[in-house]
Amino acid sequence: MTDPGAVFFQAMLVDNMPLTLFLGLCTFLALSRKPDIALGLGLAVTFVLGLTVPLNQVVYAALLAPGALAWAGSPDLDLSYLKLIAFIGVIAAVVQLIEMLLDRFFPAIHAAFGVFLPLLTVQCAILAGSLFMVERQMGLAESAVYGLGSGAGFALAVVMLAAIRARLAYADLPAGLRGLGIAFVLAGMMSLGFASFAQMAAQ
Amino acid sequence: MIRGIWDRETVALILVAALAPVAVLWLAEARGAGAVRLVSFVLTIGILHLLFMLARAQPPSAAALVTALALAVFTPEGLGPVQLLLGIAFGVVTAELAFGGWGRNILNPATVALAFLGFGFPAAPWPDVAVQVGWAALPALAFGVLAGVMPGGVVAGAALALGAASALGLPLGPAVPALLAGLALLVCDPVASASTPLGRWLNGALFGGLAAAFLAGWDGAHPVQIVVSAALLAALAAPLLDEIAIALWLYRRRRRLG
């Protein structure tokens, strides 16, 4: 496995889901009005990405990859074309299971996550994490670090944006820029800032 | 907000006075071409302020002089007038005037304009900051902090982080003039930096830490490019650092008072 610190840094800052890859922007922009709400969303994304990416790695390596079913007597079978639907199914099942377990055993954490957990079933950044895992041919441990790093990067970005938007209380914005308009402008500036990490990694 | 003589323009004028040594030594080094550049930047930013005054009744601010000086010192060389106009307009309009003018903005307009120019025109070489300009930033920072218009915590936090990096063996030498000038012109903006005491220390330490990390790991990057990148990221994180400082203060208060 590549250095775990480098994988985490790469996933969190260089390949930041909303600011570098522009994934998960709907929740990123819609739920970044208040820092506490953004923190809840960031934690939920980190939790779900940290679980589903390694789980999907196991599913892909054991069932879907070309030659994965050699153990079942089908060495030539290639089910990788099913990865999209399989990953979505795994994500939906994991999210549902987590929600039920949290609701039953940790109601305080369930209440803190609120509506964010079920919302993440259809978030593109969550699915993208698993698809990138396949594309970059990651092992189980690497995919777990990558999932956690991607989630931490999303959490950092959304909490930063929420803190900036909280400061907009002092701004006198033109009517057309209020709300989502200025959020897009700020996200663009954040993206400009995070581009430094990509430039550094590219050298 | 006005408190005694401390209205927005008093702060802006004291900032201009504090940064006068940097301007004088930079002009002495850059000579006629530098003066033309500075005056053209002041005029460009002035016209943008005038347009927003006519369109939105936003009073222009003397802080435009600080923005023009920062841009004149750090703007990449070899850019044409259209490219410069694009970069300056992007920074000044989207990072300052669209928010209601200086004092209501979140990010330093010069930092945003420089980041935009550096990212948009990567082939343009960054300028070298002369040693005397870097040293002139020291009295500027001292005067600004003593006059209360520059955050002392940011300077101290940055010094601590960069000092720690130097003690760990990172050679800061060639980047010191750019780091000092960047600290005075871009990072110690009283509006764009953190506003809580702990947040300011963290803000400065983040700038210093990011600059040290970029110096150590970003091969081939120019010191000014590193300073601009670190300044933009530190400014973007400033509101979050304030939120963290306030949350810690509330936590301590709840523990003490129940």
Side-chain angles (χ1 to χ4, degrees):
Chain A
M1 179 184 149
T2 323
D3 174 27
V7 172
F8 191 86
F9 170 79
Q10 176 93 16
M12 184 178 172
L13 301 174
V14 178
D15 293 335
N16 188 283
M17 286 283 184
L19 298 177
T20 310
L21 303 171
F22 303 110
L23 289 165
L25 283 182
C26 39
T27 40
F28 176 68
L29 293 171
L31 297 173
S32 55
R33 287 202 187 93
K34 290 183 178 174
D36 51 340
I37 291 176
L39 185 63
L41 173 69
L43 287 176
V45 169
T46 309
F47 198 57
V48 172
L49 267 172
L51 271 177
T52 56
V53 177
L55 207 57
N56 278 329
Q57 199 280 336
V58 172
V59 169
Y60 185 77
L63 299 173
L64 305 177
L69 289 172
W71 57 272
S74 305
D76 297 329
L77 198 58
D78 177 7
L79 295 178
S80 58
Y81 66 92
L82 286 175
K83 66 176 184 284
L84 203 63
I85 199 159
F87 290 171
I88 292 172
V90 168
I91 290 166
V94 166
V95 168
Q96 188 63 39
L97 193 68
I98 293 170
E99 200 185 6
M100 286 160 65
L101 287 172
L102 287 179
D103 193 20
R104 172 70 181 81
F105 297 109
F106 305 99
I109 298 177
H110 181 259
F113 279 172
V115 297
F116 306 126
L117 264 180
L119 200 67
L120 295 183
T121 310
V122 290
Q123 207 217 26
C124 56
I126 306 288
L127 179 63
S130 295
L131 293 175
F132 287 142
M133 171 272 296
V134 173
E135 195 179 286
R136 294 168 194 182
Q137 300 172 337
M138 292 177 183
L140 180 61
E142 196 176 350
S143 63
V145 176
Y146 175 76
L148 286 173
S150 297
F154 187 96
L156 176 70
V158 77
V159 173
M160 272 174 80
L161 181 61
I164 294 173
R165 289 181 77 178
R167 242 193 211 191
L168 290 180
Y170 304 106
D172 175 23
L173 296 162
L177 268 183
R178 285 176 200 147
L180 273 182
I182 197 67
F184 268 104
V185 172
L186 291 169
M189 288 178 189
M190 288 176 72
S191 184
L192 198 59
F194 272 67
S196 308
F197 295 114
Q199 286 176 310
M200 182 173 80
Q203 296 298 320
Chain B
M1 190 173 81
I2 297 172
R3 187 178 292 173
I5 62 163
W6 290 93
D7 69 353
R8 183 183 77 151
E9 286 315 294
T10 318
V11 175
L13 288 170
I14 296 175
L15 261 182
V16 172
L19 292 167
V22 177
V24 169
L25 285 177
W26 179 77
L27 280 170
E29 196 256 335
R31 296 177 185 276
V36 171
R37 191 179 219 199
L38 182 60
V39 170
S40 60
F41 286 1
V42 170
L43 284 175
T44 309
I45 299 170
I47 289 169
L48 291 170
H49 276 241
L50 191 69
L51 288 175
F52 268 74
M53 185 180 76
L54 295 172
R56 297 200 70 217
Q58 284 176 199
S61 171
L65 297 172
V66 178
T67 307
L69 178 64
L71 284 168
V73 173
F74 291 128
T75 300
E77 288 163 349
L79 293 175
V82 176
Q83 291 165 317
L84 287 172
L85 182 65
L86 192 66
I88 293 171
F90 179 84
V92 173
V93 173
T94 62
E96 183 184 308
L97 295 175
F99 289 83
W102 192 68
R104 296 178 184 274
N105 54 318
I106 310 262
L107 298 171
N108 182 300
T111 310
V112 174
L114 291 166
F116 176 85
L117 287 169
F119 189 78
F121 310 106
W126 291 94
D128 291 321
V129 177
V131 176
Q132 62 269 28
V133 176
W135 290 120
L138 284 177
L141 286 166
F143 181 77
V145 170
L146 287 174
V149 296
M150 284 185 187
V154 173
V155 181
L160 208 65
L162 289 167
S166 180
L168 288 171
L170 183 73
L172 296 177
V176 167
L179 284 168
L180 286 172
L183 196 59
L185 289 165
L186 304 177
V187 185
C188 285
D189 181 338
V191 181
S193 58
S195 48
T196 55
L198 176 63
R200 285 174 175 171
W201 278 81
L202 293 174
N203 197 184
L206 181 67
F207 167 73
L210 282 168
F214 287 153
L215 280 169
W218 192 344
D219 294 332
H222 192 280
V224 173
Q225 186 179 14
I226 284 171
V227 167
V228 169
S229 299
L232 179 59
L233 284 164
L236 284 166
L240 178 59
L241 298 174
D242 277 338
E243 292 284 340
I244 292 170
I246 292 167
L248 283 173
W249 179 78
L250 284 172
Y251 173 73
R252 280 201 306 268
R253 195 175 157 82
R254 273 199 206 104
R255 278 194 65 180
R256 200 170 61 238
L257 303 173

